[in-house]
Amino acid sequence: MAATPEAQPTPADQAREAAVEAALARLDLDAKARLLSGQDMWTLPALPEIGLDSLVMSDGPIGVRGVRWSADDPSVALPSPTALAATWDPDLAHRAGTLLAQEARRKGVHVLLAPTVNLHRSPLGGRHFEAYSEDPRLAGRIGTGYVRGVQSGGVATTVKHFVANDAETDRFTVNNLVGERALRELYLAPFEAIVTDAHPWGIMTAYNSVNGPTMTAHHHLVNEVLRGEWGFDGFNVSDWMAARDTVADLTGGLDVAMPGPKTVYGAPLARAVREGAVPEAAVDTAVRNVLRLAARVGILKGAEPAVTDLPAPVDGEALAREIARRSFVLLRNEAPDGAEALPLKPGGTVALLGAAARDARILGGGSATVFPARTVSPLDGLTAALPDGTLTYAVGADPTTEMGAAGPGFDLRVECRAADGELLGGGPVPGGHLQWMGSDLPEGVTHDRLHTVELTGTFTPRESGPHLLGIRGMGAFTLTVGGTTHFDGDQRSEAADPFDAFFGAPVPRAEVTLTAGEPVEVSLTHLVSLPQDVPMKVITFALTHQAPRRDPDALIAEAVEAARAADTAVVVVATTDRVESEGFDRTDLALPGRQDDLVRAVAAANPRTVVVVNAGSPVELPWRDEVAAILLTWFPGQEGGAALADVLTGAQEPGGRLPTTWGTLADAPVTQVTPVAGALSYTEGVFIGYRAWERAGRTPAYPFGHGLGYTTWAYESIEVHGTEVTVRVRNTGDRPGRETVQLYLAPTGPGPERPARTLAAFAQVEAEPGECAEAVLELPRRAFEIWDETADSWSFVKGSYEIQAGRSITDRAITATTTV
């Protein structure tokens, strides 16, 4: 296949290339090798001799954390990537990217380590909340909008994790065995779409191997496919600690090994060149890619940045709220009296139930974590929106079945001391989670003098009774509560994942009986001991807590009484960071704790029960036919509670459609995430997601593309003119609305084995009551192609196709045929 045609370079492009070549010519081998190796956790070294500033990178996909894992400099927290994909709106993704570029510039960040466009191959994937969809076309279009938005603000993206990083189990060592057709049609497809349509300035290669080579050393996929066929001209950065072999990685097309200061590049790379193991020309190619990135983001002297006219400022809180409500998926809305349960009737009473309504989970666990200045919980949002006296609240059931990070009631600071006890520095630590990576230390603190780190402060409990406190992290700790030392020793882990200290389970160390409202002093001291040869100096641990465990049956009974006395019961159920997080996969799709029991009990007491599902990826809903309405809010970001109030009260319409099939684990066709003998075989080929559900003849709880609104739509006509399809719809309801028109392409004649239908295009329209709107959609050539493994190329499959327009993969309202 020929390389993708590139737009003709502009004079500004040519000037930047000239500046890059001039800078490259002035560097010696050692400087070049040093530039390709992280100098710390998040940055590359400055090279003043060529006018190059230090390049700064930062997580993550829903907010820009900056170079410090700290709440001192808050970040806007947008809804999860699954939520963004549920909007089915690339323009909204573009606006999200524009905001994140604004945040990056504010924090001095040049490269955003996002977006994640790996596919939802199995519902058990633990990190799916951070990716978009099971469908490569939807993932590619949302990712394209996101990348264009970020880069319109002069900030680079790194599309990740290239490629087939679709599960977390043994992610550092797994060899994913993927057929070439599945690789091309599914897993590479969103990357290809983004590279060709959005021209990202960066890509991140994954931990895993694909069909043998590790992705940081995958010459075929990086040099031949990504760069050769698709024309990618950006920089290729490793996932953190993924680079393992100096020669193989450079030969395989890896430009930058992160993090530093100790990597396989730098001094080892210069030595490899001098020993003849790799040519210096290969180093020059990598340096050229890094300098091109530096020129684009404006940190190379003599090169004009790629963006000189920045977008207008974006209101972060308002956009976070808009994305949230546009992402909410109304799965069900059927009150027993024939009227819809949502929106809520004005003036009615509401019982809000569930611990997740009070303590909102706004984002998933792991490296995507950011610290917003404020969080609006469902309880906060509804309290502000509903008239006084109409809302009651009860805990009902708690999704947290083990300790979590120190939360409400804790007031903690950190103190860093030298061996002689001298105070070196410190600051506040909201949430009790401390994470310093590389040079990310409080002002005045250095690794050579740091001896102990102490979290100290008070805890004012909300409930009386036995409280459990513990530690997440590895090393020597002393935990003291109320003047009594409860633990003084070493805490170790046998896990192979080097990030277990970040994402591992907390260990209970103290059970203390406390009285509600009465503060108690707490301290957790860590003795710092870092090996001399450690590649990255990391100090990370957390004080964890679990409130007294009240009798679950009594809590549910209280919720039932509140529900019985209200016109409508709203139950908020949720997952936790021990269910959905980077670092591990899921073992089931059940809601944790007694939440299913709570829903069933409340539904039996109040026929107008609305369930709000606060989860980033599919969970089982065994009571779905017993409740009046189900609203999926994903991980809704910092403004989630305000957006929820907008939607429940009817001030706004829920706009989301499922980007992934929701069903039970027992029925899911593809579930394997655990390698066998180090390998994970993608034996299902091109049949994942809705493609697999249809092939297996199984009916999910809610199909791909499903989502209700507050009005109704009639599909009146469909016209096909070549590759252009026009669908005419009418708003048949009594309020304005937005409809997501979905086009599926179904082959009707003989040919190669293919899915029964695949998503080919989608578009959104708006209309007033009674009005019509037209969606004009373009059928891409790739929708008619398959990857021919024999010819090693794309093959256009001629024949007859049915074009199906509708509201989901199963709700196909109107069809037309075409022959190509």
Side-chain angles (χ1 to χ4, degrees):
M1 178 177 174
T4 302
E6 288 291 308
Q8 290 299 313
T10 66
D13 293 331
Q14 294 171 336
R16 272 190 295 276
E17 287 301 305
V20 164
E21 293 301 327
L24 175 62
R26 294 168 57 194
L27 295 177
D28 63 19
L29 174 61
D30 291 315
K32 288 185 284 192
R34 191 166 68 252
L35 180 60
L36 304 182
S37 180
Q39 70 173 348
D40 54 26
M41 188 66 183
W42 302 114
T43 71
L44 296 184
L47 298 178
E49 63 269 31
I50 59 169
L52 177 67
D53 295 339
S54 176
L55 184 80
V56 181
M57 297 171 255
S58 172
D59 287 319
I62 58 99
V64 184
R65 190 170 57 245
V67 298
R68 294 189 182 277
W69 194 287
S70 166
D72 291 347
D73 182 14
S75 308
V76 173
L78 297 178
S80 63
T82 43
L84 188 60
T87 69
W88 287 60
D89 189 343
D91 291 336
L92 190 57
H94 188 287
R95 291 169 56 201
T98 303
L99 169 66
L100 294 175
Q102 175 180 299
E103 284 280 278
R105 292 193 307 272
R106 180 175 66 82
K107 289 173 174 269
V109 169
H110 307 115
V111 180
L112 188 61
L113 302 172
T116 300
V117 299
N118 301 114
L119 297 184
H120 298 172
R121 173 179 169 268
S122 161
L124 294 176
R127 203 175 178 180
H128 280 351
F129 63 87
E130 196 178 321
Y132 292 132
S133 175
E134 67 189 29
D135 182 81
R137 193 169 307 280
L138 178 57
R141 286 201 58 198
I142 297 297
T144 293
Y146 181 101
V147 168
R148 285 177 174 171
V150 173
Q151 294 187 175
S152 74
V155 174
T157 55
T158 58
V159 189
K160 65 183 189 182
H161 309 84
F162 189 73
V163 62
N165 184 183
D166 310 302
E168 293 294 281
T169 304
D170 296 344
R171 60 181 177 160
F172 287 88
T173 57
V174 62
N175 180 22
N176 291 327
L177 305 178
V178 192
E180 189 69 15
R181 184 181 170 194
L183 194 58
R184 292 283 188 159
E185 294 184 21
L186 294 180
Y187 303 102
L188 286 172
F191 291 94
E192 181 183 12
I194 295 168
V195 168
T196 56
D197 295 339
H199 305 292
W201 298 343
I203 202 113
M204 181 188 291
T205 36
Y207 294 121
N208 55 277
S209 301
V210 172
N211 301 327
T214 61
M215 280 310 307
T216 55
H218 213 300
H219 175 81
H220 169 61
L221 290 178
V222 172
N223 289 332
E224 296 177 353
V225 176
L226 173 66
R227 293 196 184 278
E229 294 182 17
W230 303 347
F232 174 70
D233 70 349
F235 95 129
N236 170 14
V237 61
S238 72
D239 204 342
W240 265 226
M241 298 178 67
R244 283 159 265 189
D245 187 305
T246 301
V247 174
D249 287 343
L250 188 71
T251 304
L254 181 69
D255 297 325
V256 172
M258 290 295 291
K262 185 176 181 180
T263 78
V264 298
Y265 284 176
L269 178 56
R271 184 167 57 251
V273 173
R274 292 188 172 103
E275 292 174 352
V278 291
E280 188 168 353
V283 176
D284 289 347
T285 298
V287 171
R288 188 175 287 113
N289 292 331
V290 175
L291 292 175
R292 182 180 300 117
L293 172 68
R296 284 169 167 166
V297 300
I299 61 169
L300 179 62
K301 186 177 181 180
E304 183 179 88
V307 176
T308 56
D309 186 12
L310 295 175
V314 179
D315 183 327
E317 290 184 0
L319 183 58
R321 185 169 180 169
E322 180 184 353
I323 293 172
R325 64 174 173 78
R326 291 276 307 280
S327 76
F328 292 172
V329 182
L330 185 58
L331 297 175
R332 176 182 172 89
N333 195 14
E334 302 175 15
D337 57 6
E340 295 177 335
L342 292 177
L344 299 171
K345 293 180 179 179
T349 57
V350 175
L352 181 62
L353 312 167
R358 178 191 63 191
D359 302 321
R361 188 173 185 209
I362 65 167
L363 42 75
S367 61
T369 301
V370 295
F371 305 97
R374 74 171 203 161
T375 296
V376 184
S377 70
L379 181 57
D380 296 332
L382 285 173
T383 298
L386 297 178
D388 290 345
T390 60
L391 180 68
T392 58
Y393 172 73
V395 171
D398 193 338
T400 303
T401 57
E402 59 184 55
M403 291 184 297
F410 284 89
D411 182 10
L412 300 171
R413 290 184 55 82
V414 64
E415 295 181 351
C416 301
R417 297 188 180 276
D420 61 2
E422 179 189 350
L423 179 63
L424 302 176
V429 185
H433 184 191
L434 185 148
Q435 190 156 291
W436 297 328
M437 297 172 283
S439 59
D440 175 17
L441 293 169
E443 186 175 354
V445 181
T446 58
H447 283 292
D448 61 327
R449 296 200 64 200
L450 183 60
H451 182 258
T452 59
V453 178
E454 181 180 11
L455 286 179
T456 182
T458 60
F459 171 48
T460 305
R462 295 188 294 197
E463 301 94 1
S464 297
H467 289 253
L468 202 60
L469 288 94
I471 307 165
R472 174 187 288 148
M474 292 184 284
F477 294 96
T478 303
L479 175 62
T480 301
V481 183
T484 300
T485 298
H486 291 266
F487 177 75
D488 187 3
D490 270 11
Q491 183 163 291
R492 299 294 172 189
S493 170
E494 301 301 322
D497 190 329
F499 287 108
D500 191 58
F502 295 75
F503 312 128
V507 180
R509 295 300 185 183
E511 184 177 83
V512 291
T513 300
L514 303 175
T515 303
E518 294 186 6
V520 62
E521 292 185 352
V522 295
S523 75
L524 177 61
T525 301
H526 173 54
L527 178 63
V528 178
S529 178
L530 296 174
Q532 290 298 314
D533 61 346
V534 67
M536 172 178 54
K537 292 183 178 180
V538 175
I539 300 171
T540 179
F541 62 91
L543 175 65
T544 58
H545 169 253
Q546 187 176 56
R549 309 302 292 173
R550 287 188 55 198
D551 177 38
D553 291 328
L555 289 175
I556 291 174
E558 288 177 5
V560 166
E561 288 306 307
R564 188 174 285 122
D567 294 321
T568 302
V570 177
V571 185
V572 182
V573 296
T575 60
T576 71
D577 61 4
R578 299 305 304 158
V579 175
E580 293 185 85
S581 176
E582 179 180 354
F584 52 85
D585 289 313
R586 300 160 73 182
T587 57
D588 59 49
L589 302 182
L591 288 167
R594 296 283 301 279
Q595 295 181 102
D596 287 334
D597 294 338
L598 171 66
V599 172
R600 285 197 165 106
V602 169
N606 189 326
R608 298 185 69 85
T609 292
V610 176
V611 182
V612 175
V613 183
N614 179 194
S617 48
V619 293
E620 293 180 351
L621 311 173
W623 31 259
R624 62 185 181 275
D625 295 328
E626 303 169 33
V627 300
I630 304 172
L631 183 68
L632 170 58
T633 62
W634 310 102
F635 295 145
Q638 67 176 61
E639 304 298 316
L644 178 63
D646 290 340
V647 168
L648 292 184
T649 61
Q652 300 287 348
E653 182 182 37
R657 304 292 185 264
L658 287 180
T660 289
T661 306
W662 278 49
T664 65
L665 182 59
D667 288 335
V670 181
T671 59
Q672 185 66 26
V673 293
T674 303
V676 176
L680 182 62
S681 296
Y682 287 36
T683 55
E684 68 282 350
V686 297
F687 294 93
I688 66 169
Y690 63 81
R691 306 160 183 242
W693 283 88
E694 287 203 320
R695 187 191 197 202
R698 300 175 188 175
T699 302
Y702 298 102
F704 177 83
H706 173 69
L708 308 175
Y710 287 160
T711 189
T712 54
W713 297 88
Y715 280 64
E716 295 189 339
S717 66
I718 181 171
E719 297 179 1
V720 182
H721 299 286
T723 58
E724 185 178 276
V725 180
T726 302
V727 179
R728 184 179 177 88
V729 297
R730 183 181 299 274
N731 182 346
T732 55
D734 58 4
R735 62 176 284 165
R738 179 192 297 265
E739 174 69 335
T740 300
V741 178
Q742 304 167 36
L743 279 191
Y744 295 90
L745 194 65
T748 59
E753 184 182 30
R754 285 176 285 176
R757 72 203 87 251
T758 54
L759 179 69
F762 56 92
Q764 294 185 334
V765 296
E766 296 181 2
E768 297 293 319
E771 288 187 349
C772 288
E774 286 188 347
V776 180
L777 308 99
E778 183 72 21
L779 292 173
R781 177 181 176 86
R782 185 56 56 81
F784 299 94
E785 293 180 325
I786 68 165
W787 183 262
D788 186 329
E789 293 183 335
T790 301
D792 197 31
S793 66
W794 289 103
S795 174
F796 189 85
V797 183
K798 298 179 180 179
S800 177
Y801 293 82
E802 187 171 75
I803 301 169
Q804 306 166 342
R807 311 194 75 246
S808 76
I809 187 75
T810 59
D811 185 1
R812 303 182 296 273
I814 194 168
T815 64
T817 58
T818 188
T819 301
V820 297

